[in-house]
Amino acid sequence: MAQNVDPYHAQRANNSKHSEEGRSNTNDSHAVTKRLQKELMSLMMSQERGVSAFPEGDNLFRWIGTIAGPKETVYELQKYKLCLQFPNSYPYTAPGVKFITPCFHPNVDNNGNICLDILKDKWSALYDVRTILLSIQSLLAEPNIDSPLNALAAELWSKPSEYKKHVLDTYKQV
């Protein structure tokens, strides 16, 4: 079966005539819970610098992530908080990810929404929280100005001093 196909939903589609119960929603969220616990342990044991994430309170389906601005960029001394919301169909469906900390960037809108292909049409069940955070950190250094959510940021990207001024004016540590 393809890596991005949720076997539960594929099986239900194939067996829709048989009204078979299959897995219940409880079992679905148990599988997701196990996956998220494994990812949390992996992140905690990781030596990865500049990215981290933990569940928000007791809710394993909602995490707060942090990324440090990439070195040698206008974001270098900044730390950004993000919210990750995991659906019951995770990892077959990408989590919702938004910046909590205001971020002036061509691929981030004023509400914190992120335009990143791996969070949309290029999502793979092989990705994990670490991959997501590292990809967003990399996006800060190398935006896709051909597909901007923030037209002003895309326009100013080629004017480093003006761009940096907007980044610093927008940034507020949360």
Side-chain angles (χ1 to χ4, degrees):
M1 190 165 289
Q3 70 183 11
N4 281 340
V5 176
D6 182 346
Y8 171 65
H9 293 294
Q11 182 180 11
R12 282 188 52 127
N14 291 340
N15 295 335
S16 60
K17 295 177 186 172
H18 298 337
S19 170
E20 186 177 296
E21 285 301 309
R23 295 187 322 199
S24 68
N25 283 340
T26 304
N27 288 342
D28 289 346
S29 65
H30 179 70
V32 176
T33 298
K34 283 181 68 174
R35 164 80 182 239
L36 290 171
Q37 288 172 334
K38 182 179 174 186
E39 288 190 33
L40 178 60
M41 287 303 295
S42 176
L43 264 173
M44 290 171 52
M45 301 302 286
S46 166
Q47 299 298 318
E48 199 69 54
R49 294 188 180 268
V51 299
S52 66
F54 296 95
E56 185 177 53
D58 292 336
N59 186 354
L60 197 57
F61 285 78
R62 184 176 168 92
W63 291 23
I64 300 298
T66 58
I67 57 173
K71 292 185 186 295
E72 299 179 21
T73 70
V74 297
Y75 302 99
E76 183 172 11
L77 299 176
Q78 298 174 348
K79 191 174 198 176
Y80 290 91
K81 283 189 180 181
L82 299 103
C83 176
L84 294 88
Q85 185 72 44
F86 298 93
N88 284 332
S89 55
Y90 181 77
Y92 303 104
T93 305
V97 184
K98 286 178 78 166
F99 274 90
I100 297 171
T101 308
C103 180
F104 184 77
H105 188 274
N107 304 116
V108 179
D109 70 14
N110 293 333
N111 296 318
N113 297 307
I114 305 165
C115 181
L116 181 60
D117 59 356
I118 71 157
L119 296 176
K120 307 286 187 240
D121 58 330
K122 301 288 187 200
W123 174 254
S124 167
L126 299 175
Y127 295 144
D128 59 11
V129 172
R130 182 183 154 280
T131 305
I132 294 166
L133 295 174
L134 290 172
S135 296
I136 294 170
Q137 187 180 47
S138 177
L139 182 69
L140 289 178
E142 300 174 20
N144 178 359
I145 57 173
D146 295 331
S147 180
L149 281 180
N150 183 330
L152 177 61
E155 181 184 322
L156 293 178
W157 180 253
S158 62
K159 303 171 187 166
S161 61
E162 288 182 53
Y163 186 86
K164 184 173 185 171
K165 181 182 179 339
H166 273 81
V167 169
L168 296 175
D169 288 347
T170 304
Y171 179 76
K172 294 177 187 81
Q173 191 156 7
V174 178

